Amino acid sequence: MTDTMPNPTTLPAFAERHIGPDDAQVAQMLAVIGRSSLDDLTAVAVPDAIRATDAMGIVPADSESAVVEELRGLAARNRVLTSMIGLGYYGTLTPAVIQRNVLENPAWYTAYTPYQPEISQGRLEALLNFQTVVSDLTGLSTAGASLLDEATAAAEAMTLMRRSSKAAKDAVLVVDEAVFPQTLAVMRTRAVPLGIEVVVADLTGVTTGEALTEAAGGRDVFGVLVQYPDLHGRLRDHRALAEAAHGAGALVTAAADLMALTLATAPGEWGADIAVGTTQRFGVPMAFGGPHAGYMSVRSGLERTLPGRLVGVSVDVTGAPAYRLALQTREQHIRREKATSNICTAQVLLAVMASMYAVYHGPRGLRAIALRIHAHATTLAGALREGGVDVDSEPGFDTLSVSVPGRADEVVAAALAEGANLWRHDGDTVLLSLDETTDHDDLAKVCRAFGVSEPGRVTIEEPEWDGALLRTSDYLTHPVFTSHHSETAMLRYLRRLSDRDFALDRGMIPLGSCTMKLNATTEMLAITWPEFANLHPFAPLDQTEGIRHLIDELSQWLCDITGYDAVSLQPNAGSQGELSGLLAIAGYHRSQGDVERTVCLIPASAHGTNAASAVMAGMKVVVVKTAEITGNVDMDDLKAKVEQHRDQLAAIMVTYPSTHGVFEDTITDLCAMVHDAGGQVYVDGANLNALVGLAQPGRFGADVSHLNLHKTFCIPHGGGGPGVGPVACREHLAPFLPNHPLDAEAGPQTGVGPVSAAPYGSAGILPISWAYVRLMGASGLRRATEVAVLNANYVATRLRDHYPVLYSGEGGLVAHECILDVRPLTKETGVSVDDIAKRLVDYGFHAPTMSFPVAGTLMVEPTESEDKVELDRFCDAMIAIRAEIDAVGASGNAATSVLRGAPHTAQSLAGDWDVEYSRQDAAYPPGVDPLAKYWPPVRRIDGAYGDRHLVCSCPPPEAFED
C-alpha cells in the first residue's frame, strides 16, 4: 500500500534511530568544520551543476510498527504451497539454533569481508568448514568460500575451463541438454561477449572422443558441463564421458547436488575437474530465489585459478594456526583488467548457515536426510507406476520425470488444487522434486493429482543403484562435524566463533567505500517470515503477488532516488550490476549498428571490479590518468583518450563521488565529452551514500549505474555477502536490461539474458531495503546523506593535523569519506598502514580501508549511523596512535614497537614479556574501557606463509596444540 500523507519533507521518527548524531552533536561538529548548517555544508561540498532541484516524493511511514504491518499485508498476498518444482530450489528445514544465532544475529550479519583476519577468525573458521563440506562431498581437493549462485558458478566454471584448456581458440563448450534451464541461460549471457560458443547436446552415450566431437558439431571442445543428477532426476555414470573429454583436451564440470552426493559417487571420483552448485538445501530457505551460497571446487592444479574468495590456514607471529584469505594476488581488485572474474564478495552469511547445517547434522545426519528424501521419491514413483503412470526408470535421487502425453497442464492444475506446485516441463512431461520437508500427505496430494491410489508406508532403504553410482568414500571426517550435534554444543560453538570477530554490534567499522551503516532490526524482521522465505522463484505469478508488488515499489523508489527511468533488481552483487550495465551499453550500441564501439575508459583510481567487468563484457579497457595533486580525473588525458578512440568508444566507467572521496566539479563536462563522442556514461554507484537526496546520476549526465543495496540501502554485509547490485538506467538502455527465460515479467523481452539464476536475484532480502526507504522517506534519506558527509568532514578536520588528508574538494571539504596519507610517516619511521590497522584492534576498532585507492593510505568512511561519541573515540585513538608513531620516530626502532607488536591477545599478556613497552600500553591504551575490551583471538598473521603452505580445508585438531 502507498501512504497518502501530504508532506514528504517532515523528518520521520525513525531517522533519529538510524542517524547517529542528534541535533546538538550536529551543531558541535558543524562548528568544528566551520559551517553554519547542513545546508551550508552540502552547498559548498556538492557542485551546483549536479545538485537535485526537485525533491523526491517518497513519503515516510508513520512508524516502525506501521511498516511491519505493511509488510504483513504484502506477505499475506503471497501463497506458500507445497513446492515440488525443484530445478535447484528445494524446501529445507533451517535448524532454529542456526536461524536464531546466525541469520538473526548481528554478530554474524553485520560483519564485513574478513580482510582483517585477526579479528575475523570466527567466520573464517565457519568458511573453512564450508570449504571442507564442499571439497569432501564433491571429491575435489580445493573449494572456494562461496559464489553467488549455481548458475553464475557454472558460468565461472566455463571461463575457468576455457583458460585452463589447451584446446584451440575456437573450441566450444559442450553443455548437456539436461542442465537446469536457468544455468544454461546465464552461461549463454556470459559467453556471448567473450566470444565463447556454447553447444547444447544430448551427451547420453557419449563415451569416446569421436562421439564428443560429433556432439560438438565437428568442433574442438575445451569444456563439458553436465548436471548431476540432471534436470530429469537421472543419476548417470560419467566416467567414460570424462575420460573422452580429457582425451580431447577438454575439462569437465559437474553441476552437482550436495545432498545427493552424500549417497552418490563424488564427481571427483568419476573424473570431473570442477564441481559447481548451490548449498541452498543445506538449511537456507528458497526465499524467492536467494540469497544462497553457490559453490565451486576444483581438482589439484586448478586452485590458483579459482574465482572469488579462498580461506586458507596460516600462522600468527607466535606460530599458532590462524585463518586468512589466501592467494589474494589472483583477485580482481589487484589484477584489474587482467582479472579472470569480477567476483568481489559472495554469500558468506549463507555459506556460514550451510556449513553450520552440516556441522549440526554431521555426516550421519546428512546421510539420513538424503535417504529419507530418496525413500519418499522411490515410494512415490512406485505408487505412480502401480497406477499405470509412466515414470522414468533410470536411477535417480529426488526428482521424478513423469510422462503424461497431452496431459501435463491438467496434472499440474490438479496438483495445484491439492496445494502442491509441480513443474510443467512440456505438454507431455511433468517434473517433480522431493525434499526434506516432504511427508506422506504430500505424496498423497501428488497421487490424487495423477489419479492414482496414494502409497503405503515409506520405507527408508539404501539406494538400488548400480555400484558405479554408489558412494563408498567417507566425508566430513573432521571432528568439527561430529562434535556439535546437541543444541547446547551447537549454541556454544556458534557463540565461541562469533566472540572471536569484530562486527558492527561491537563498534564502528570505518571502511572507506564500504558504507558500514546501521542494519536496523525492523528492516530485518520480514526476511524469515515463511510467506517470503518459503517461496520458490518459479512459483506461479498469482502465488507471488506480495513479493512482486514489493519489488515493483522498491524499483520505482530507486528510480525516483537516482533519476533513472528503469531498474533491474536481478543482479545479486555489485559486480553483477556492473556487468549488467555494461552489457546494456553493448546491447544498445549493437542496436544502433555500432558494433565497433568496444573501448571502455576507466580512471586509474577505479575499483578493480570496473576493469574486470569491462573485460567480461567484451570490452577493451583504456585507463585514464588521475591528477596527482587533486586525485580528480585528468581532463586533458580524458580528452586525448576520447579523441584517440572516438569511433570505438563504448563507455566510460567513473565512480561518483570519486574513489578519492571528492565531489569532482568536472563530472558534467566529463559526461558531455563522452556523449559527444558517441559513448555512454556508467557511474558506479558504490558511493551513492553521498548523493541520495542531493544529486541524481540519471539527471546530471549518467546513462547507467549499479547500486549497492548492501551499502546505501542497509542490507547487511553478512561478513562478505549477501549483496544486491541493481542496475538502473536511462530509457534508451532499458530494453537491454537483464531478463529471464522462466519469468516473462523479470525483464524486457529484448534483454541481454539473465545474469543471475533467479529472476529477481536475491529477492529474499529486498524487504530490508524496502523497509529502509519506507521508514526514512525523502526527508530521512536526504538527512542521512547530509550527516554522512558531515561525519566524514568532522573526522577529516579532527585528524588533518595528525595525518594529511590526501584529497579534498571545494572549501577543503571531502564527500562521505576521506583518505589519510600515511606514506610520509612510513618513510620517516618505518610504521606502515598495516601497523596502524593492527594497532587499532587494541583500541577496539576495525581498521579503515588499507591502501585503496592509493597505496600507503587509510580511507575512512564513518557513515551517518555513527554518533559523535563514537567518532571522537575513533579520532582519539588515531591521534594516540600518531603519538606512538612519533615515539617510534624518536627511538628509530619500529620493529620492537607496540605498533609492530599489535594486535595483542589476552594470552600474550599472560606469557613471558620481553618487549620494551608495558602490558598496560599493549592492551589498555588511552580511551579503552576495560569493561568493553575486545580481545583478538590471534596475533598478527603471516600471510605469505599461508600462501606458501596452502591448506584450504579444516586442519586437524593437533595443529592447534601448543
Side-chain angles (χ1 to χ4, degrees):
M1 124 181 145
T2 301
D3 202 307
T4 57
M5 287 175 58
N7 187 5
T9 63
T10 302
L11 198 65
F14 177 77
E16 297 182 4
R17 304 291 192 192
H18 175 81
I19 297 171
D22 58 22
D23 290 343
Q25 291 180 344
V26 167
Q28 292 165 7
M29 290 192 286
L30 285 168
V32 170
I33 296 169
R35 295 295 162 186
S36 61
S37 66
L38 291 173
D39 285 341
D40 175 38
L41 171 66
T42 56
V44 176
V46 182
D48 289 340
I50 71 165
R51 290 182 65 84
T53 56
D54 299 325
M56 298 179 293
I58 303 170
V59 180
D62 287 337
S63 63
E64 292 179 59
S65 60
V67 163
V68 173
E69 286 306 305
E70 279 193 58
L71 284 167
R72 288 288 186 195
L74 291 173
R77 293 172 62 183
N78 297 326
R79 294 171 56 215
V80 179
L81 305 185
T82 299
S83 179
M84 294 186 179
I85 295 172
L87 300 182
Y89 301 92
Y90 308 93
T92 186
L93 301 173
T94 308
V97 66
I98 295 175
Q99 176 174 316
R100 180 69 177 270
N101 295 286
V102 176
L103 180 59
E104 298 175 348
N105 185 349
W108 289 99
Y109 67 69
T110 69
Y112 190 66
T113 305
Y115 290 128
Q116 294 292 332
E118 293 84 358
I119 57 175
S120 310
Q121 291 295 292
R123 62 188 180 280
L124 285 169
E125 179 170 324
L127 289 174
L128 200 71
N129 292 345
F130 176 87
Q131 292 177 181
T132 303
V133 170
V134 173
S135 177
D136 279 10
L137 289 176
T138 60
L140 293 162
S141 59
T142 304
S146 78
L147 290 172
L148 297 172
D149 57 35
E150 179 167 335
T152 56
E156 295 286 349
M158 172 182 69
T159 56
L160 193 161
M161 289 189 290
R162 175 59 279 188
R163 62 182 178 267
S164 300
S165 171
K166 296 180 180 179
K169 289 186 177 180
D170 63 348
V172 302
L173 173 71
V174 177
V175 179
D176 186 64
E177 64 180 7
V179 301
F180 293 146
Q182 71 273 16
T183 299
L184 176 61
V186 170
M187 284 193 292
R188 281 177 161 159
T189 300
R190 295 273 286 267
V192 168
L194 298 177
I196 293 174
E197 185 175 341
V198 177
V199 175
V200 179
D202 181 0
L203 296 180
T204 303
V206 173
T207 59
T208 66
E210 292 77 12
L212 180 60
T213 301
E214 183 179 350
R219 306 282 294 280
D220 288 341
V221 178
F222 72 80
V224 174
L225 187 141
V226 296
Q227 195 86 43
Y228 181 74
D230 70 13
L231 171 66
H232 301 281
R234 299 171 301 201
L235 195 62
R236 290 177 165 174
D237 180 7
H238 294 298
R239 284 178 174 83
L241 173 63
E243 185 176 349
H246 293 154
L251 280 73
V252 177
T253 294
D257 182 333
L258 290 185
M259 190 64 77
L261 297 186
T262 64
L263 305 178
T265 301
E269 295 173 1
W270 52 251
D273 303 284
I274 305 166
V276 296
T278 176
T279 56
Q280 178 268 315
R281 70 189 313 170
F282 274 37
V284 183
M286 291 183 287
F288 201 49
H292 310 128
Y295 76 80
M296 178 184 288
S297 57
V298 297
R299 61 165 169 79
S300 178
L302 296 177
E303 59 274 355
R304 294 179 184 271
T305 66
L306 264 175
R309 300 286 176 252
L310 179 65
V311 176
V313 181
S314 189
V315 295
D316 71 5
V317 294
T318 70
Y323 309 115
R324 62 180 286 276
L325 294 177
L327 303 181
Q328 292 188 68
T329 55
R330 77 196 200 294
E331 295 178 9
Q332 46 68 33
H333 64 282
I334 293 174
R335 292 180 58 81
R336 298 174 65 84
E337 67 271 16
K338 295 181 181 179
T340 53
S341 168
N342 72 340
I343 295 296
C344 186
T345 54
Q347 306 284 21
V348 168
L349 186 66
L350 298 315
V352 170
M353 289 182 66
S355 75
M356 292 307 169
Y357 180 92
V359 168
Y360 195 42
H361 288 296
R364 291 178 58 188
L366 291 178
R367 193 171 192 278
I369 292 169
L371 285 171
R372 184 184 180 280
I373 294 170
H374 180 63
H376 279 74
T378 56
T379 300
L380 179 58
L384 293 175
R385 289 188 183 110
E386 287 182 14
V389 178
D390 183 7
V391 181
D392 192 306
S393 61
E394 286 197 50
F397 169 59
D398 65 347
T399 298
L400 307 182
S401 179
V402 186
S403 177
V404 284
R407 296 181 50 236
D409 292 318
E410 174 190 334
V411 170
V412 169
L416 184 61
E418 293 284 347
N421 287 324
L422 311 184
W423 185 249
R424 179 194 184 276
H425 177 65
D426 56 34
D428 303 319
T429 311
V430 174
L431 303 179
L432 58 100
S433 298
L434 311 185
D435 55 55
E436 69 170 316
T437 70
T438 303
D439 58 23
H440 192 275
D441 287 345
D442 296 324
L443 304 187
K445 293 176 185 176
V446 174
C447 287
R448 288 194 293 271
F450 279 95
V452 304
S453 300
E454 64 182 68
R457 179 181 176 184
V458 176
T459 302
I460 297 176
E461 297 176 332
E462 292 294 321
E464 295 182 357
W465 301 335
D466 182 82
L469 297 174
L470 287 170
R471 181 169 196 135
T472 57
S473 56
D474 292 332
Y475 50 87
L476 307 188
T477 57
H478 190 276
V480 73
F481 299 108
T482 54
S483 303
H484 309 292
H485 297 168
S486 74
E487 183 163 335
T488 301
M490 189 65 186
L491 178 67
R492 290 172 181 166
Y493 180 56
L494 291 170
R495 176 59 185 267
R496 284 198 303 274
L497 293 188
S498 65
D499 279 350
R500 296 174 188 170
D501 288 5
F502 191 99
L504 274 177
D505 63 331
R506 290 188 187 271
M508 180 170 70
I509 300 180
L511 285 161
S513 195
C514 298
T515 315
M516 298 296 291
K517 67 200 311 186
L518 172 72
N519 316 119
T521 307
T522 296
E523 296 159 6
M524 300 288 293
L525 285 178
I527 66 170
T528 55
W529 294 351
E531 298 92 339
F532 292 121
N534 293 343
L535 285 177
H536 193 287
F538 309 142
L541 297 182
D542 61 358
Q543 296 177 25
T544 58
E545 291 181 358
I547 186 64
R548 290 177 184 274
H549 180 87
L550 184 150
I551 288 168
D552 290 343
E553 198 159 34
L554 178 59
S555 298
Q556 184 56 57
W557 290 340
L558 293 177
C559 288
D560 292 345
I561 290 166
T562 60
Y564 286 117
D565 301 306
V567 67
S568 169
L569 291 167
Q570 188 184 114
N572 52 9
S575 59
Q576 304 312 294
E578 287 183 14
L579 177 62
S580 300
L582 292 169
L583 290 177
I585 289 173
Y588 169 75
H589 284 312
R590 284 195 302 272
S591 74
Q592 302 299 300
D594 293 333
V595 295
E596 75 283 355
R597 290 192 176 273
T598 59
V599 169
C600 184
L601 303 179
I602 298 180
S605 62
H607 195 282
T609 54
N610 288 174
S613 295
V615 171
M616 290 176 60
M619 296 183 181
K620 176 186 176 183
V621 172
V622 174
V623 177
V624 179
K625 296 177 183 177
T626 52
E628 186 173 344
I629 302 299
T630 65
N632 295 347
V633 173
D634 185 325
M635 295 298 286
D636 290 335
D637 189 57
L638 174 64
K639 182 177 181 181
K641 297 287 173 57
V642 168
E643 288 303 318
Q644 179 183 353
H645 302 285
R646 173 172 289 271
D647 294 336
Q648 296 82 38
L649 182 60
I652 187 170
M653 296 185 80
V654 59
T655 302
Y656 200 82
S658 75
T659 312
H660 291 142
V662 177
F663 289 103
E664 297 183 33
D665 58 10
T666 55
I667 184 65
T668 53
D669 294 337
L670 179 151
C671 294
M673 190 184 301
V674 172
H675 285 149
D676 287 347
Q680 299 288 291
V681 176
Y682 184 111
V683 169
D684 187 314
N687 293 339
L688 192 69
N689 211 52
L691 293 180
V692 175
L694 300 180
Q696 298 169 298
R699 300 284 175 84
F700 65 63
D703 299 290
V704 62
S705 295
H706 86 271
L707 319 176
N708 289 319
L709 299 192
H710 50 288
K711 292 184 179 182
T712 312
F713 298 97
C714 293
I715 288 175
H717 285 72
V724 177
V727 57
C729 66
R730 298 292 299 276
E731 185 177 15
H732 65 285
L733 295 183
F736 310 102
L737 288 175
N739 55 11
H740 200 280
L742 302 182
D743 190 331
E745 293 193 358
Q749 187 176 0
T750 53
V752 295
V755 296
S756 302
Y760 297 98
S762 293
I765 51 178
L766 295 180
I768 300 171
S769 295
W770 182 95
Y772 172 67
V773 176
R774 187 74 179 96
L775 285 163
M776 293 290 276
S779 58
L781 292 170
R782 179 187 172 100
R783 177 61 60 87
T785 305
E786 293 170 338
V787 175
V789 174
L790 169 68
N791 282 358
N793 278 281
Y794 178 71
V795 169
T797 301
R798 280 211 60 194
L799 295 182
R800 184 172 274 118
D801 291 339
H802 307 277
Y803 305 88
V805 174
L806 191 55
Y807 302 115
S808 59
E810 187 71 25
L813 297 175
V814 299
H816 65 308
E817 59 193 7
C818 61
I819 298 177
L820 307 178
D821 194 357
V822 182
R823 293 173 297 178
L825 294 173
T826 301
K827 185 176 181 179
E828 293 169 15
T829 68
V831 174
S832 68
V833 288
D834 291 81
D835 295 328
I836 297 173
K838 306 312 178 186
R839 183 57 173 154
L840 276 168
V841 176
D842 291 332
Y843 281 84
F845 285 100
H846 192 296
T849 299
M850 295 164 47
S851 293
F852 175 81
V854 180
T857 65
L858 294 168
M859 183 161 59
V860 182
E861 181 185 0
T863 83
E864 71 274 13
S865 296
E866 302 298 341
D867 63 17
K868 183 175 179 293
V869 174
E870 186 72 353
L871 298 181
D872 282 335
R873 192 171 76 87
F874 173 74
C875 291
D876 291 345
M878 289 294 291
I879 293 168
I881 289 173
R882 174 57 201 267
E884 294 174 349
I885 296 172
D886 290 341
V888 170
S891 70
N893 196 347
T896 60
S897 69
V898 69
L899 289 146
R900 190 61 52 81
H904 297 88
T905 63
Q907 185 178 11
S908 69
L909 268 64
D912 295 335
W913 196 257
D914 57 357
V915 293
E916 299 172 357
Y917 51 90
S918 69
R919 290 179 171 89
Q920 174 76 26
D921 289 341
Y924 294 103
V928 174
D929 181 356
L931 298 180
K933 170 70 178 175
Y934 166 73
W935 292 101
V938 296
R939 299 289 298 277
R940 194 177 304 198
I941 294 173
D942 184 342
Y945 177 94
D947 284 352
R948 290 195 307 267
H949 306 85
L950 191 62
V951 177
C952 299
S953 57
C954 293
E958 291 77 15
F960 295 89
E961 293 180 347
D962 291 336

